[in-house]
């Protein structure tokens, strides 16, 4: 059975991959045929599929990271995720559905720290054949409808 501790450990490792700039590891947190989307609360409430970021496979996530590393140029910055405790909506031996609140700070090269995004992850986890917990779906629902141009990076 997927439990709260497993979800907390998963989310901590997920955030660390992003915060430590190990972005090439990020897609490995997802199943092959996953769904990843960043949207805002109004789109989510209205049931609109439109998102700020959308991917429907691990390969698309890998392409996104390759583009960030090779094609896009951003001012040097770091991120720090602060995650709440997941609220498990359902769980069994094959997976879980949970919601986890998040806050992400962006730290610029100057040291200036800004609140980058707040919201809630809407997750559907699966247990792979090797026993590893993976995201089949993560929808990062941001509280604000204002979109930062640097939201190209994963949340």
């Amino acid at each position: 059975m997927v439990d709260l501790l497993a979800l907390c450990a998963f989310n901590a490792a997920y955030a660390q991959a992003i915060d430590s700039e190990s972005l090439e590891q990020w897609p490995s947190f997802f199943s092959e045929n996953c769904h990843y989307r960043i949207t805002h609360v109004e789109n989510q409430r209205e049931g609109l599929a439109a998102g700020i970021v959308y991917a429907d496979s691990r390969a698309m996530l890998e392409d996104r990271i390759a583009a960030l590393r090779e094609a896009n140029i951003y001012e040097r910055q770091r991120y720090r995720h602060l995650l709440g405790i997941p609220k498990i909506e359902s769980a069994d031996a094959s997976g879980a559905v949970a919601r986890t609140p998040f806050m992400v700070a962006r730290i610029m090269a100057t040291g200036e720290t800004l609140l980058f995004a707040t919201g809630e992850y809407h997750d559907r986890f699966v247990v792979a054949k090797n026993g590893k917990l993976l995201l089949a779906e993560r929808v990062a629902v941001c509280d604000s409808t204002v979109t930062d141009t640097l939201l190209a990076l994963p949340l």
Side-chain angles (χ1 to χ4, degrees), residues 1-4 7 88-98 125:
M1 171 106 151
V2 176
D3 64 9
L4 182 60
L7 295 181
I88 299 174
E89 296 179 346
S90 65
D92 59 26
S94 65
V97 174
F125 293 91

Side-chain angles (χ1 to χ4, degrees), residues 8 16 79 93 112:
C8 288
Q16 184 179 17
Y79 292 87
E112 179 184 12

Side-chain angles (χ1 to χ4, degrees), residues 77-125:
Q77 56 200 294
R78 297 193 61 222
Y79 292 87
R80 179 65 57 204
H81 285 69
L82 299 174
L83 304 176
I85 296 172
K87 179 185 181 299
I88 299 174
E89 296 179 346
S90 65
D92 59 26
S94 65
V97 174
R99 292 180 181 221
T100 305
F102 66 83
M103 295 178 77
V104 180
R106 179 172 60 204
I107 304 96
M108 304 307 288
T110 63
E112 179 184 12
T113 302
L114 307 164
L115 185 57
F116 181 63
T118 64
E120 185 175 63
Y121 295 134
H122 296 197
D123 295 329
R124 185 169 50 85
F125 293 91

Side-chain angles (χ1 to χ4, degrees), residues 128-143:
K129 291 179 183 175
N130 64 2
K132 183 177 177 183
L133 195 59
L134 296 171
L135 283 163
E137 180 175 37
R138 172 159 276 183
V139 180
V141 182
C142 296
D143 294 323

